[in-house]
Amino acid sequence: MSAVLPQNPVVLIPSRLASTRLPDKPLADIHGLPMIVHCLKRAQEAGFARVAVACGDAAIADAIRAAGGEAVMTDPDHPSGSDRIFEALQKLDPDGRHDAVVNFQGDLPAIDPAVIAAALTPLADPGIDIATLATPIVDAHEIDDPNVVKAVLSLAPGATRGRALYFSRRPVPSGTGPLWHHIGIYAYRRAALERFVSLKPSPLEQREKLEQLRALENGMAIAAAVVDTLPLGVDTPADLDRIRRVMAGSRSSS
């Protein structure tokens, strides 16, 4: 079968206010705009025709609509972002026009839009259900850091896309060669997302605390595109201060 990307993808950004390390994180001000609005803009800059925010709280929806964006309210008690975007998809597109869904996290306000677009590219292979991203680990401290998720990729020399065989918080695989830092942006075929949210949490998922293992344990195919840069996430007040400095520099140089 020939390689053809999904023709009508939508980007959905799951967002809720419940955050213990950084209260009201989506609404944190970054140079005059809430962080979630910056994320909306990065996804729009990636070239997708439709971007919407799946909101768990009315305050987030208000901020998105005030910025001219599309927002949809979802159950605030969803256990995961995948469940939240699935509800949003059903509300926004009950007729099934969108053939793929990009799940983009709402705490990456400084991401290069090209990185978001790259998440879709593994779906050019009709055998892939879910696509994601990875970048080489270059900082030695990340190797043993359990907060850095490693992707085990079957990647031919020089290739920029490969099948994901496993994900772990431990440094795998062993031996000489690159280790891949998983970037938690996903692109689902619509049917794959519907199947994924219907599955029960799996043993390895519960052991590693990694939701994507549920897909692998149930025979779903995941592939990753390799990108050059690791986007800066915001989880703590220190992260927020750093991202403000980074984005101030990008504003002054533009």
Side-chain angles (χ1 to χ4, degrees):
M1 298 180 68
S2 60
V4 178
L5 284 171
Q7 296 300 295
N8 190 22
V10 59
V11 178
L12 295 178
I13 307 173
S15 185
R16 60 175 185 157
L17 292 180
S19 173
T20 55
R21 291 191 287 176
L22 185 59
D24 296 344
K25 180 169 75 169
L27 301 180
D29 182 272
I30 302 175
H31 305 303
L33 289 176
M35 178 163 61
I36 190 64
V37 173
H38 282 285
C39 293
L40 173 76
K41 290 179 177 294
R42 299 297 87 73
Q44 292 170 334
E45 291 162 4
F48 291 91
R50 191 178 194 186
V51 180
V53 178
C55 308
D57 303 272
I60 299 172
D62 290 344
I64 291 299
R65 290 167 182 152
E70 184 175 17
V72 59
M73 291 301 302
T74 58
D75 185 341
D77 297 323
H78 278 305
S80 73
S82 303
D83 296 291
R84 190 173 305 285
I85 66 165
F86 182 64
E87 181 192 349
L89 181 66
Q90 291 177 302
K91 288 182 173 180
L92 292 173
D93 184 33
D95 299 326
R97 292 170 295 164
H98 295 299
D99 54 355
V101 185
V102 177
N103 182 353
F104 172 49
Q105 304 306 311
D107 57 5
L108 300 170
I111 192 171
D112 181 346
V115 172
I116 307 173
L120 194 69
T121 59
L123 293 185
D125 180 343
I128 297 302
D129 300 302
I130 303 169
T132 189
L133 297 169
T135 193
I137 290 178
V138 295
D139 293 328
H141 77 272
E142 291 190 348
I143 294 174
D144 291 306
D145 185 348
N147 296 311
V148 175
V149 177
K150 290 80 181 176
V152 179
L153 304 181
S154 177
L155 198 65
T160 58
R161 296 196 296 269
R163 289 285 288 266
L165 305 181
Y166 193 66
F167 298 87
S168 180
R169 298 184 182 278
R170 298 292 296 163
V172 289
S174 63
T176 302
L179 294 176
W180 301 101
H181 185 141
H182 178 233
I183 299 169
I185 301 172
Y186 297 92
Y188 298 84
R189 296 191 192 279
R190 191 184 183 111
L193 176 61
E194 183 172 5
R195 183 185 174 207
F196 179 78
V197 297
S198 73
L199 296 170
K200 295 180 180 179
S202 63
L204 287 173
E205 172 191 2
Q206 294 174 317
R207 182 171 176 173
E208 291 262 22
K209 302 295 188 291
L210 296 174
E211 186 184 54
Q212 62 269 39
L213 293 177
R214 186 190 318 173
L216 292 180
E217 286 189 83
N218 284 277
M220 300 180 75
I222 303 178
V226 173
V227 295
D228 295 332
T229 58
L230 179 67
L232 296 176
V234 178
D235 290 313
T236 66
D239 293 338
L240 182 59
D241 289 341
R242 179 176 65 165
I243 211 76
R244 284 170 173 157
R245 291 193 301 270
V246 168
M247 295 184 73
S250 65
R251 283 157 61 92
S252 62
S253 63
S254 61

